[in-house]
Amino acid sequence: REEVSRFQNLIVRLASMLYCAALQEISDLDDASLEVLSFDGIDRESLQYLGTSSHKCEVLMQWMQQLVVDCQRNQIIDIPPPILSRVFQELTNGIVLSHKMRN
């Protein structure tokens, strides 16, 4: 289905942005040396908001969680509850680890 393909493409792009934001927070590299897949599917206002946020990882994680919840609710994806809760748990674990790396 087209909706599933859109979900898959957007979740991968958001994951790419999250990974890049996490690396920017913990590395000494120049931010320009880190790239993301693309910004396709993400509106300009959201990108502007993200650009001004001091909590980019948390914003991106929230967007990913909301996308999954919306797609599950609209039956675009069908994830059994135990697996869905594990998805959210792993996202949270990643954010916790990135916070530990910063400190």
Side-chain angles (χ1 to χ4, degrees):
R1 291 183 359 191
E2 186 177 327
E3 292 120 350
V4 173
S5 181
R6 276 198 306 261
F7 164 77
Q8 291 171 334
N9 286 315
L10 186 52
I11 200 80
V12 167
R13 286 183 179 98
L14 290 171
S16 171
M17 293 169 66
L18 177 59
Y19 187 72
C20 182
L23 285 175
Q24 287 172 335
E25 288 183 359
I26 63 172
S27 76
D28 295 331
L29 295 173
D30 176 25
D31 287 352
S33 68
L34 302 171
E35 297 180 22
V36 298
L37 292 176
S38 97
F39 299 110
D40 292 348
I42 304 165
D43 64 89
R44 184 179 309 268
E45 288 178 7
S46 295
L47 290 172
Q48 288 173 342
Y49 175 78
L50 183 64
T52 61
S53 175
S54 59
H55 303 286
K56 289 178 179 53
C57 288
E58 291 79 2
V59 169
L60 286 161
M61 185 180 85
Q62 176 61 35
W63 289 354
M64 291 176 74
Q65 289 175 330
Q66 192 62 52
L67 176 63
V68 170
V69 168
D70 289 346
C71 287
Q72 177 78 3
R73 182 183 307 124
N74 294 325
Q75 300 177 346
I76 294 169
I77 57 175
D78 183 23
I79 304 172
I83 295 173
L84 186 58
S85 67
R86 184 61 184 235
V87 168
F88 295 137
Q89 181 181 14
E90 291 300 324
L91 281 170
T92 301
N93 289 343
I95 291 294
V96 169
L97 287 174
S98 74
H99 282 259
K100 286 181 180 179
M101 294 295 295
R102 285 187 283 192
N103 299 326

